[in-house]
Amino acid sequence: MTEAIYPGTFDPITHGHTDLVQRASRLFDRVVVGVAGSTWKQTTFTLEERVALVRVALHGIERVEVRPFDGLLVEAARALGTTVILRGLRAVSDFEYELQMASMNRRLVPEVDTLFLTPAEHYGFLSASLVREIAALGGDVGPFVHPAVASALVAKLQC
Ligand code: ADP
């Protein structure tokens, strides 16, 4: 059985993330979407909220499981028994950070490999931080996120 973990902050999940999960679900028998609890990023949504929104957005995609995780990603991968970490590459700007992280994770656990997927071209510009900014300024994020995520953003950011 082939398995992979797709880790991220998902603050919140966008159509770009979902596009990647759909692609991965065609390549692996099981894809675990790991929602990071401990992160240096200050998140807009709590871990519980992010997990709940990821579950709603990915509902119906087969062979996908959503799980929160804490601590080192490589340890979460090891606990799951998977040696494949999935990440997304949108543009050259993602590359340096992603390469550094992939190399460090391999240094920590040599049998773990990072696999990169690219989203559909029209999601190449999409990021959770831009979506949060648009929502905070009263813009329509409908084209970029699941309706439940759009509502959650309005409730959270447009007080
Ligand atoms: P992190 O804080 O771990 O970077 P993110 O939720 O921002 O978490 O992103 C998780 C992964 O999804 C990263 O590999 C990121 O490059 C990728 N990603 C984010 N947005 C998109 C998108 N629009 N298309 C493809 N991949 C994306």
Side-chain angles (χ1 to χ4, degrees):
M1 185 158 125
T2 57
E3 288 180 304
I5 181 167
Y6 176 38
T9 311
F10 303 105
D11 186 37
I13 185 166
T14 70
H15 286 338
H17 295 122
T18 303
D19 179 275
L20 230 69
V21 173
Q22 272 163 341
R23 286 169 202 285
S25 73
R26 295 196 290 267
L27 298 170
F28 294 92
D29 297 317
R30 184 167 79 126
V31 177
V32 175
V33 178
V35 183
S38 47
T39 161
W40 52 267
K41 289 184 181 174
Q42 184 91 39
T43 60
T44 297
F45 292 97
T46 65
L47 176 61
E48 290 70 28
E49 289 168 333
R50 287 181 283 127
V51 168
L53 291 173
V54 170
R55 290 211 164 105
V56 171
L58 301 181
H59 181 77
I61 306 179
E62 281 176 25
R63 297 184 291 282
V64 172
E65 240 175 71
V66 182
R67 289 199 194 181
F69 77 94
D70 259 315
L72 278 179
L73 167 60
V74 282
E75 291 305 333
R78 215 200 308 247
L80 282 171
T82 181
T83 55
V84 180
I85 293 171
L86 269 179
R87 295 285 290 178
L89 279 181
R90 286 162 291 190
V92 177
S93 50
D94 281 336
F95 181 76
E96 209 166 290
Y97 172 69
E98 293 292 344
L99 177 67
Q100 191 180 14
M101 208 158 61
S103 306
M104 180 52 87
N105 281 333
R106 187 152 59 192
R107 175 72 177 73
L108 292 173
V109 180
E111 63 269 25
V112 165
D113 271 303
T114 304
L115 207 76
F116 296 102
L117 291 175
T118 56
E121 289 64 36
H122 52 280
Y123 294 137
F125 62 91
L126 189 50
S127 71
S129 57
L130 261 185
V131 163
R132 288 196 305 272
E133 202 171 322
I134 294 166
L137 297 172
D140 176 20
V141 294
F144 314 124
V145 295
H146 186 283
V149 175
S151 306
L153 277 163
V154 169
K156 182 77 85 173
L157 297 173
Q158 294 175 20
C159 302

